């Protein structure tokens, strides 16, 4: 855990995506945050003790599909960047042990992915920690930038010149607070309910840039932060601390994990 001091900073941005507005001053109390996203090895230790079954391992209620989750499946040619279904697929058997399907194996030192909000909370209860709020996460992530992060390089989504998948935690240098992978690698859950901007009005769904599909009305959405290995200069430039994305609480994808805090 890294000690993050109390402070005041400007949260959000008036210059980038609409949901990051308005930029406003926020005061933050001191807290501790994990240096890395929770790894596959850490999550495996939790499952070994608790026998927790993740959302992606259960057949989704009300849907005639087997247990599985969303997986990035890159096309081999240029596609309409307004249609994320061109590079996302529902894959039976995809879950945290097998992040892209039954034939894949999660590496112990990579961030755990394919975890829904309830899975992250269950881990936190077991470990005696909690998820960060959006304010805590953004304050700790100050100074993070794409130049030292696992983000998409090449023409998105069909011609990667880089990894195009997760990397071991700590592969890239830490930010000024000492966090690694604060931007890029995987999106990270926060405790906050989604709103379309930083005001106090009720949340309003917007179609997130990287999600496999729009969610039905009434779906509970939480804020994810940090961007992922799929964030691209020519498509989704959300590899910045101010960036945010709406994620349905039952969503599990190959580019979504979490990091924990201790108050």
């Amino acid at each position: 855990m890294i000690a993050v001091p109390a402070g005041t900073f400007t949260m959000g941005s008036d210059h980038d995506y609409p949901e990051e507005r308005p930029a406003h001053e926020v005061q933050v109390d001191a807290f501790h945050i994990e240096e890395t996203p929770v790894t596959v090895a850490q999550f495996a230790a939790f499952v070994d003790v608790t026998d927790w079954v993740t959302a992606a391992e259960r057949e989704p209620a009300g849907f005639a599909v087997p247990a599985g989750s969303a997986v990035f499946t890159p096309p081999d040619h240029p596609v309409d960047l307004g249609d994320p279904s061109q590079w996302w697929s529902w894959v039976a058997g995809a879950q945290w042990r097998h992040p892209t399907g039954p034939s894949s194996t999660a590496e112990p030192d990579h961030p755990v992915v394919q975890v829904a909000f309830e899975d992250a909370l269950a881990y936190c209860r077991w470990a005696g920690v909690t998820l960060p709020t959006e304010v805590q996460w953004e304050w700790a992530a100050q100074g993070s930038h794409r130049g030292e992060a696992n983000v998409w390089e090449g023409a998105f989504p069909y011609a990667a010149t880089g990894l195009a998948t997760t990397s071991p935690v700590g592969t890239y240098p830490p930010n000024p607070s000492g966090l690694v992978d604060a931007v890029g690698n995987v999106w990270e859950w926060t405790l906050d309910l989604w709103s379309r901007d930083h005001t106090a009005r009720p949340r309003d769904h917007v179609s997130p840039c990287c999600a496999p599909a729009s969610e039905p009305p009434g779906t509970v959405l939480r804020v994810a932060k940090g961007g992922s290995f799929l964030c691209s200069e020519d498509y989704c430039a959300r590899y910045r601390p101010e960036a945010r994305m709406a994620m349905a609480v039952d969503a599990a994808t190959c580019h979504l994990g979490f990091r924990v805090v201790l108050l």
Side-chain angles (χ1 to χ4, degrees):
M1 288 283 183
I2 291 174
V4 180
T8 302
F9 76 108
T10 300
M11 183 179 184
S13 170
D14 290 327
H15 309 293
D16 296 288
Y17 293 98
E19 68 272 11
E20 299 167 17
R21 302 169 186 163
H24 59 293
E25 190 173 275
V26 177
Q27 292 184 327
V28 192
D29 292 333
F31 61 97
H32 289 75
I33 189 166
E34 193 161 18
E35 178 185 5
T36 73
V38 172
T39 65
V40 170
Q42 289 173 302
F43 198 80
F46 152 67
V47 172
D48 286 346
V49 171
T50 64
D51 294 322
W52 181 261
V53 178
T54 62
E57 297 172 89
R58 303 176 230 139
E59 292 188 5
F63 295 90
V65 295
S69 58
V71 172
F72 173 63
T73 49
D76 60 4
H77 57 278
V79 295
D80 177 6
L81 294 183
D83 180 11
S85 68
Q86 296 292 315
W87 58 89
W88 284 101
S89 301
W90 179 271
V91 176
Q95 40 114 322
W96 71 272
R97 295 182 183 88
H98 309 289
T100 59
S103 63
S104 65
T105 301
E107 297 292 338
D109 58 350
H110 284 231
V112 68
V113 293
Q114 302 292 15
V115 284
F117 186 74
E118 65 172 310
D119 304 323
L121 286 185
Y123 175 92
C124 288
R125 287 193 295 269
W126 172 76
V129 292
T130 188
L131 292 174
T133 65
E134 183 176 7
V135 170
Q136 289 171 333
W137 192 100
E138 192 167 324
W139 172 231
Q142 293 295 293
S144 304
H145 57 88
R146 69 155 294 177
E148 297 179 340
N150 177 10
V151 296
W152 184 276
E153 302 292 346
F156 186 82
Y158 66 96
T161 59
L163 286 176
T165 187
T166 59
S167 54
V169 299
T171 298
Y172 298 87
N175 77 354
S177 295
L179 274 65
V180 296
D181 299 327
V183 296
N185 216 359
V186 294
W187 284 97
E188 299 178 15
W189 286 111
T190 74
L191 284 174
D192 287 49
L193 287 168
W194 173 259
S195 61
R196 65 181 177 183
D197 56 26
H198 286 302
T199 65
R201 61 187 163 194
R203 68 171 177 83
D204 184 19
H205 177 69
V206 298
S207 180
C209 71
C210 303
S214 297
E215 298 294 334
T219 299
V220 178
L221 302 171
R222 299 275 176 173
V223 176
K225 296 285 283 184
S228 78
F229 65 88
L230 294 178
C231 281
S232 163
E233 184 72 27
D234 62 355
Y235 173 61
C236 170
R238 284 177 166 87
Y239 33 65
R240 296 170 293 102
E242 301 84 7
R244 54 206 301 268
M245 182 172 75
M247 288 297 297
V249 293
D250 59 354
T253 76
C254 65
H255 72 334
L256 174 63
F258 67 104
R259 185 187 307 255
V260 301
V261 301
L262 183 66
L263 305 179

